[in-house]
Amino acid sequence: MTTEAGRDPKAVGISLRVTIFGETAPPQASDGEHRLFAGSPALIAADIRKMRDMGVGSLDFGFGGSTADEVLAGMQKFRAEVLPLV
Protein backbone atom coordinates (compact mmCIF):
# COMPACT_ATOMS: atom_id res chain seq x y z
CA MET A 1 0.00 0.00 0.00
CA THR A 2 2.89 2.32 0.74
CA THR A 3 4.45 1.73 -2.65
CA GLU A 4 1.09 2.21 -4.37
CA ALA A 5 0.85 5.59 -2.64
CA GLY A 6 4.24 6.55 -4.06
CA ARG A 7 6.07 6.39 -0.72
CA ASP A 8 9.17 4.51 0.33
CA PRO A 9 8.10 1.58 2.56
CA LYS A 10 11.31 1.95 4.59
CA ALA A 11 10.27 5.49 5.52
CA VAL A 12 7.04 4.35 7.18
CA GLY A 13 6.93 2.98 10.72
CA ILE A 14 4.20 0.97 12.37
CA SER A 15 3.02 1.90 15.86
CA LEU A 16 0.29 0.46 18.04
CA ARG A 17 -1.39 2.06 21.04
CA VAL A 18 -2.46 -0.37 23.77
CA THR A 19 -5.08 0.96 26.16
CA ILE A 20 -6.35 -2.23 27.80
CA PHE A 21 -3.90 -4.89 28.89
CA GLY A 22 -2.95 -7.29 31.64
CA GLU A 23 -5.06 -9.37 33.98
CA THR A 24 -8.00 -6.94 33.82
CA ALA A 25 -8.34 -7.12 30.02
CA PRO A 26 -10.89 -9.59 28.64
CA PRO A 27 -8.96 -12.76 27.73
CA GLN A 28 -10.69 -13.24 24.38
CA ALA A 29 -11.20 -10.96 21.40
CA SER A 30 -14.60 -10.70 19.73
CA ASP A 31 -13.63 -13.53 17.35
CA GLY A 32 -12.90 -15.87 20.28
CA GLU A 33 -9.14 -15.74 19.82
CA HIS A 34 -6.64 -14.59 22.44
CA ARG A 35 -6.95 -10.84 22.99
CA LEU A 36 -3.59 -9.19 22.42
CA PHE A 37 -1.83 -8.06 25.60
CA ALA A 38 -4.41 -9.72 27.89
CA GLY A 39 -3.40 -11.97 30.74
CA SER A 40 -0.20 -12.65 32.60
CA PRO A 41 3.12 -10.84 32.16
CA ALA A 42 4.38 -13.84 30.16
CA LEU A 43 1.45 -13.57 27.71
CA ILE A 44 1.93 -9.81 27.35
CA ALA A 45 5.65 -10.30 26.68
CA ALA A 46 4.85 -12.96 24.05
CA ASP A 47 2.48 -10.55 22.31
CA ILE A 48 5.14 -7.81 22.38
CA ARG A 49 7.60 -10.19 20.71
CA LYS A 50 4.99 -11.14 18.09
CA MET A 51 4.36 -7.49 17.26
CA ARG A 52 8.10 -6.84 17.00
CA ASP A 53 8.50 -9.84 14.67
CA MET A 54 5.65 -8.51 12.50
CA GLY A 55 7.46 -5.18 12.10
CA VAL A 56 5.73 -3.03 14.71
CA GLY A 57 8.42 -0.56 15.74
CA SER A 58 6.64 1.18 18.58
CA LEU A 59 4.12 0.15 21.22
CA ASP A 60 2.46 2.82 23.31
CA PHE A 61 0.97 1.41 26.51
CA GLY A 62 -1.52 3.65 28.28
CA PHE A 63 -1.08 3.32 32.02
CA GLY A 64 -4.23 4.28 33.86
CA GLY A 65 -4.44 6.11 37.12
CA SER A 66 -5.88 9.26 38.56
CA THR A 67 -2.62 10.51 40.06
CA ALA A 68 0.97 10.65 38.89
CA ASP A 69 1.91 8.16 41.61
CA GLU A 70 -0.67 5.64 40.33
CA VAL A 71 0.57 5.97 36.75
CA LEU A 72 4.20 5.62 37.83
CA ALA A 73 3.37 2.56 39.94
CA GLY A 74 1.76 0.92 36.90
CA MET A 75 4.76 1.75 34.75
CA GLN A 76 7.19 0.40 37.34
CA LYS A 77 5.20 -2.83 37.69
CA PHE A 78 5.20 -3.27 33.90
CA ARG A 79 8.96 -2.66 33.76
CA ALA A 80 9.61 -5.17 36.54
CA GLU A 81 7.19 -7.92 35.49
CA VAL A 82 6.84 -7.73 31.69
CA LEU A 83 9.91 -6.16 30.11
CA PRO A 84 12.43 -8.71 31.47
CA LEU A 85 10.42 -11.39 29.62
CA VAL A 86 10.65 -9.65 26.26
Side-chain angles (χ1 to χ4, degrees), residues 6-75:
R7 298 184 62 191
D8 179 4
K10 294 179 183 175
V12 176
I14 300 172
S15 297
L16 177 65
R17 175 140 174 84
V18 182
T19 56
I20 300 172
F21 58 94
E23 301 285 344
T24 59
Q28 291 184 331
S30 60
D31 63 0
E33 296 291 324
H34 164 71
R35 181 185 178 109
L36 287 174
F37 311 109
S40 69
L43 288 173
I44 296 169
D47 288 338
I48 291 172
R49 290 191 302 270
K50 288 176 191 173
M51 293 296 105
R52 178 192 60 208
D53 294 347
M54 289 174 49
V56 175
S58 176
L59 292 172
D60 178 8
F61 283 84
F63 295 92
S66 57
T67 67
D69 286 341
E70 289 176 357
V71 174
L72 286 173
M75 293 170 88

